Amino acid sequence: MADRVIDSERILKYLGLWGQPVVSKQVPTGGFTGASHHNVVARQAQIGEVRAVYCDGSVGQPGWSTFIYLKVGTQNADVAIAAKTVCVPDSATVWYEVTNDPDSCVNKNSALSVVALGAMTNAYYGWFWEGGVCPEQYVTTLGGTYPTDDSVVAGSFRVGDLTADAMGFVSAQDLPSGTAAVTTLAGATGYSLAADVTSY
């Protein structure tokens, strides 16, 4: 199947999948992509810190969104991390390291997924969109389309390996081989309001 897309306003990422209990409503200095704290070699926030913001609907969908502070492990050498890149856990021992490489990630079917806000450097720290509506009001580059694998329908979705050798959204009903049918929502990372399309 050829890869397809879904619009940012048609997806809702489930909140709290990373299990972090402390949430701040403070927007960082310079916004979530501020140079003093985002894509930096030395962390400038607590690892796993979650910040929640309310999107008023002036740009994108209204509702709450959360950002989480994590570290890039080793990204895909062929497809660099950029805005709207889907990332998943990269290490079996360091829970807060993420990657966009489906060939080296710990579990490409994990419910734990985040979305990059822009270009990132290996072993650098920064903010990622973790849950809720797409926060394009706070990070404009998150608006637009997200890659899928031509299987997303209205309902729960998870992450998976796309034809383009990158992570993207796939239907939660489109299970990895050998997965029992009763676990169709296992690994679900979000909810889609509509099916994916070729283009908008």
Coordinates of all heavy atoms in Angstrom, one line a residue, residues 75-80 100-101:
Q75 N 18.4 9.2 15.6 CA 17.4 9.3 14.6 C 17.7 8.6 13.3 O 18.9 8.1 13.1 CB 17.0 10.7 14.3 CG 18.2 11.6 13.7 CD 17.8 13.0 13.7 OE1 16.9 13.4 13.0 NE2 18.6 13.8 14.4
N76 N 16.7 8.4 12.5 CA 16.9 7.7 11.2 C 17.9 8.5 10.3 O 17.7 9.6 10.1 CB 15.5 7.7 10.5 CG 15.5 6.8 9.3 OD1 16.5 6.6 8.6 ND2 14.3 6.2 9.0
A77 N 18.9 7.8 9.9 CA 20.0 8.5 9.1 C 19.5 8.9 7.8 O 20.0 9.8 7.1 CB 21.2 7.5 9.0
D78 N 18.4 8.2 7.3 CA 17.9 8.5 5.9 C 16.8 9.5 5.9 O 16.5 10.1 4.9 CB 17.5 7.2 5.2 CG 18.6 6.3 5.0 OD1 19.7 6.7 4.7 OD2 18.5 5.1 5.2
V79 N 16.0 9.6 7.0 CA 14.9 10.5 7.1 C 15.0 11.2 8.4 O 14.6 10.7 9.5 CB 13.5 9.7 7.1 CG1 12.4 10.7 7.1 CG2 13.5 8.8 5.9
A80 N 15.6 12.4 8.4 CA 15.9 13.2 9.6 C 14.6 13.6 10.3 O 13.5 13.8 9.7 CB 16.7 14.4 9.3
N100 N 12.9 8.3 15.4 CA 11.9 8.1 14.3 C 12.3 7.0 13.4 O 11.8 6.8 12.3 CB 11.9 9.4 13.5 CG 13.2 9.7 12.8 OD1 14.3 9.4 13.3 ND2 13.1 10.3 11.6
D101 N 13.3 6.1 13.8 CA 13.8 5.1 13.0 C 13.0 3.7 13.3 O 13.2 3.1 14.3 CB 15.3 4.9 13.2 CG 15.9 4.0 12.2 OD1 15.2 3.3 11.5 OD2 17.2 4.0 12.2

